[in-house]
Amino acid sequence: MFKYLPLLWANLGRKRLRTSLTLASIVVAFLLFGLMQTLRVAMTGSPELAGIDRLITMHKTSFVQSLPLAYLNRVKGVEGVVVASSQDWFGGVYQEDRNQIAAFAVEAPTFFEVYSEYQLKPEEKQAFLQDRTAVIVGPMIAERFKWKVGDTIPMRSNIWTRKDDGGNSWPMKIAGIYQASNGDNQSMYFHYDYLNESRAEIRDMIGWVVVKVADPGRSADIARSIDDLFRNSSTETKTSTEKAFIQGFANQMGNIGKLLTFVAAAVFFTMLLVTANTMGQSIRERINEIGVMKTLGFSGAGVTFLIIAEAILVTGLGGLIGLGLAALASKGIGAAVAQFFPVLGMPPATWGIGVVLILLLGGLAAAIPCAQASRLKIVDALRKA
Amino acid sequence: MADESLVRLRGVAKDYKRGAETVHVLHALDLDIPRGDFLALMGPSGSGKSTLLNLIGGIDRPTAGSIEIAGTRTDSMTDGDLGKWRAHHVGFVFQMYNLLPVLTAERNVELPLLLTKLPAAERRKRANAALGLVGLSERAHHKPRELSGGQEQRVGIARAIVSDPTLLLCDEPTGDLDRKSGDEILDLLQALNQQQGKTIIMVTHDPHAAARAKHVLHLNKGQLSRDAAA
Ligand SMILES: Nc1ncnc2c1ncn2[C@@H]1O[C@H](COP(=O)(O)OP(=O)(O)O)[C@@H](O)[C@H]1O
Ligand SMILES: [Mg+2]
């Protein structure tokens, strides 16, 4: 098999400019495809981030509306609930407005029971639990802002103001840097008590409740029991699985995502057709050479194999470079938008789909001219000088 | 005498369909070519010389009649078998050389050997030996476009002989060359015939080239006639 490589390679160098342009369009097409996949998954939410044994209880209308703090204890009392913990969106800003940080005010002790995938060193965890102005931060923002354990950072909120001085400065002391196996490495979690005691706007209100259930199979029942507790009150709730919650959040982005995906898909397939046509053209120009090879004793199948291999070499080279760039770019994008929604980089399945597309594109480009060439008799092919 | 024949054609006819019309190019040809012959095939343009050569070489099939080469009927072989048979028994030399432009001289000559099970080093050795035989060793790493017409044709001959076939079929091998380069090619073919014992059939319409052959055949209106002078 390897003895044909020099021939394949030489054929790629036949018209360098054309090969480069073809390669470039394939790279761009697959870069687009990779980004499209990243975007699609990001926009529809990342189920990997959700625990199957977790429910979210929020205001029936929207999760930006608050719930009474008293709800937390009532939820904890529901049969089938292992533990529950509250969360509030803080709207964190660090130093400059563009440094938006996903900061949450949480009920500290229960936070770790609900989110067992968040790990801290025991001494850091203890320091966090003991100090109501303490905060734990993700490793990526700690690195980005050069934060160390023990630092006090001047956080601001673009939602809450302080009732003591009317300002929006909330100094927090870093008690630890958490490690989360779900990929969340850029958030910060601090004490609800700190927020609740100091903010001017409201008191004893929480954003939403995260609930851990014993038996995920009973999630629907438990969600119904929780919502039944508050039915016909002035603040009704809506409880759903964490997965549905993340998706619901992302669906607000979903329409833009769909549009982008549609445009990208249209561009991608146009590029594939153009590329297939160019590659087909370059094969049709070689009908005479195919006739020569058959004269020398190469079989029709052998020549077809060589042509397909050549086409797939081009699409493979371009496709893998494109996907590689997309993976890198997705990582960068993920880091930039992590506070808005969880992007875990390019989904691994993209590589698999990409390889299928590479084979399809190469096969498609080679198939039509190959069929034409194999129908031609040797003498007719030779006459096409 | 008949047993000595390397090539034996009996009642070979070839028609081409051009639209609704059928063109009868060859009519019921009988032909015997002994092993070791150097035969020149002459005739007016369009008389069917290339067609006849292609039938003998097994890249085209007769409409009627039988073709036997070295005792093997080639007209009834499958395409696949015919391909393998060609790779072993026939070397083609074309008027326009028909080298692959992207490959060096050495790689072009090696091409037929890719179909064998020979290891790379052995293929390379044989390709270089063939290039040496045609006097082009120093040009082994040049691409066709870096060679003169005469040199390209010598690469073409090296490719034709690299798998050591019994039969060399040359279709106007000097047709695109000046007199001097053409003479060098003819010298080479003559040497291959005399020293290597290759049986050569060469199509030409140049009497000067035909004079180098042992025998001359004329093809006219689908019929063969032997040259009185030869
Ligand atoms: N593949 C083909 N299809 C149709 N007609 C052909 C084909 N090959 C040759 N012919 C016709 O057969 C005749 C003989 O052609 P050819 O053998 O090439 O002649 P020569 O080599 O003597 O010039 C010509 O009229 C040519 O047009
Ligand atoms: Mg001809």
Side-chain angles (χ1 to χ4, degrees), chain A residues 13-14 20 24-25 93 100 102 107 120 135 166 180 224 271 276 286 291 297 316 325 372:
Chain A
R14 177 176 302 263
S20 315
S25 11
V93 177
Q100 305 261 338
E107 189 188 41
L120 272 179
V135 62
R224 207 170 312 114
M271 292 184 93
R286 281 148 53 187
L325 290 176
Q372 288 172 342

Side-chain angles (χ1 to χ4, degrees), chain B residues 114-128:
Chain B
L114 292 182
L115 293 166
T116 66
K117 290 197 163 63
L118 294 175
E122 181 61 23
R123 292 199 306 267
R124 213 48 76 77
K125 210 177 99 191
R126 294 197 188 181
N128 281 301

Side-chain angles (χ1 to χ4, degrees), chain B residues 100-112:
Chain B
L100 299 199
V102 294
L103 296 183
T104 61
E106 184 187 46
R107 294 278 191 196
N108 263 291
V109 175
E110 187 194 352
L111 201 56

Side-chain angles (χ1 to χ4, degrees), chain B:
Chain B
M1 174 71 196
D3 288 324
E4 296 289 306
S5 292
L6 178 68
V7 177
R8 178 187 294 179
L9 274 60
R10 290 292 177 267
V12 166
K14 180 69 186 175
D15 301 338
Y16 283 116
K17 286 226 160 45
R18 209 174 286 151
E21 176 193 2
T22 303
V23 190
H24 303 284
V25 182
L26 303 174
H27 313 280
L29 286 187
D30 292 339
L31 175 63
D32 286 282
I33 301 170
R35 200 178 281 275
D37 199 1
F38 183 177
L39 181 74
L41 187 58
M42 299 190 72
S45 177
S47 58
K49 304 181 296 292
S50 297
T51 301
L52 180 56
L53 203 68
N54 293 343
L55 289 176
I56 294 171
I59 55 173
D60 204 355
R61 289 171 185 281
T63 314
S66 67
I67 301 174
E68 201 179 295
I69 316 255
T72 310
R73 280 283 293 269
T74 59
D75 55 287
S76 51
M77 283 184 181
T78 65
D79 281 353
D81 288 342
L82 203 51
K84 287 190 195 109
W85 175 84
R86 278 198 305 275
H88 278 105
H89 295 94
V90 201
F92 284 88
V93 177
F94 305 92
Q95 178 179 357
M96 299 312 295
Y97 330 125
N98 279 347
L99 303 176
L100 299 199
V102 294
L103 296 183
T104 61
E106 184 187 46
R107 294 278 191 196
N108 263 291
V109 175
E110 187 194 352
L111 201 56
L113 298 180
L114 292 182
L115 293 166
T116 66
K117 290 197 163 63
L118 294 175
E122 181 61 23
R123 292 199 306 267
R124 213 48 76 77
K125 210 177 99 191
R126 294 197 188 181
N128 281 301
L131 276 175
L133 208 62
V134 300
L136 267 189
S137 291
E138 335 80 82
R139 296 301 163 106
H141 299 294
H142 289 245
K143 299 246 176 93
R145 85 175 97 81
E146 297 156 357
L147 300 173
S148 71
Q151 288 171 331
E152 278 196 76
Q153 192 59 296
R154 282 195 268 164
V155 177
I157 292 173
R159 180 178 66 184
I161 59 174
V162 74
S163 40
D164 199 23
T166 26
L167 189 56
L168 269 190
L169 303 177
C170 314
D171 197 346
E172 307 201 33
T174 59
D176 208 52
L177 297 176
D178 58 59
R179 174 51 57 89
K180 186 172 164 295
S181 313
D183 278 340
E184 286 168 9
I185 295 300
L186 292 166
D187 290 343
L188 192 55
L189 291 178
Q190 233 171 355
L192 286 170
N193 174 243
Q194 284 162 10
Q195 288 156 30
Q196 315 273 327
K198 302 283 178 214
T199 306
I200 300 179
I201 308 174
M202 174 178 72
V203 168
T204 182
H205 48 230
D206 176 9
H208 174 82
R212 300 287 203 102
K214 288 181 180 162
H215 300 100
V216 180
L217 273 182
H218 288 275
L219 185 61
N220 206 351
K221 307 216 168 77
Q223 295 298 320
L224 283 169
S225 57
R226 224 157 244 282
D227 196 330

Side-chain angles (χ1 to χ4, degrees), chain A residues 275-355:
Chain A
T275 311
N277 184 53
T278 315
M279 292 172 57
Q281 180 63 34
S282 86
I283 295 166
R284 276 190 288 277
E285 285 166 11
R286 281 148 53 187
I287 294 290
N288 171 266
E289 291 176 30
I290 292 170
V292 172
M293 294 194 57
K294 284 191 179 176
T295 302
L296 296 179
F298 285 83
S299 65
V303 172
T304 303
F305 169 80
L306 284 177
I307 292 175
I308 292 178
E310 183 187 326
I312 288 176
L313 198 62
V314 178
T315 57
L317 204 63
L320 292 179
I321 293 174
L323 288 178
L325 290 176
L328 284 179
S330 299
K331 227 180 199 173
I333 294 171
V337 300
Q339 65 260 51
F340 301 118
F341 49 87
V343 181
L344 295 172
M346 196 171 78
T350 308
W351 289 101
I353 306 170
V355 167

Side-chain angles (χ1 to χ4, degrees), chain A residues 89-161:
Chain A
W89 180 251
F90 179 66
V93 177
Y94 178 66
Q95 288 176 333
E96 289 167 53
D97 283 343
R98 65 185 176 85
N99 295 336
Q100 305 261 338
I101 290 165
F104 300 88
V106 302
E107 189 188 41
T110 48
F111 174 79
F112 297 101
E113 295 173 42
V114 170
Y115 287 105
S116 52
E117 63 264 49
Y118 286 68
Q119 298 294 331
L120 272 179
K121 288 182 196 150
E123 65 273 20
E124 290 184 351
K125 186 167 173 179
Q126 204 183 4
F128 174 60
L129 292 177
Q130 278 169 359
D131 177 357
R132 53 214 291 118
T133 68
V135 62
I136 56 171
V137 301
M140 241 167 100
I141 43 168
E143 190 180 309
R144 178 164 155 215
F145 297 117
K146 307 267 173 297
W147 291 339
K148 296 185 307 294
V149 172
D151 288 355
T152 296
I153 51 173
M155 288 300 295
R156 285 186 291 126
S157 166
N158 53 24
I159 301 176
W160 313 113
T161 47

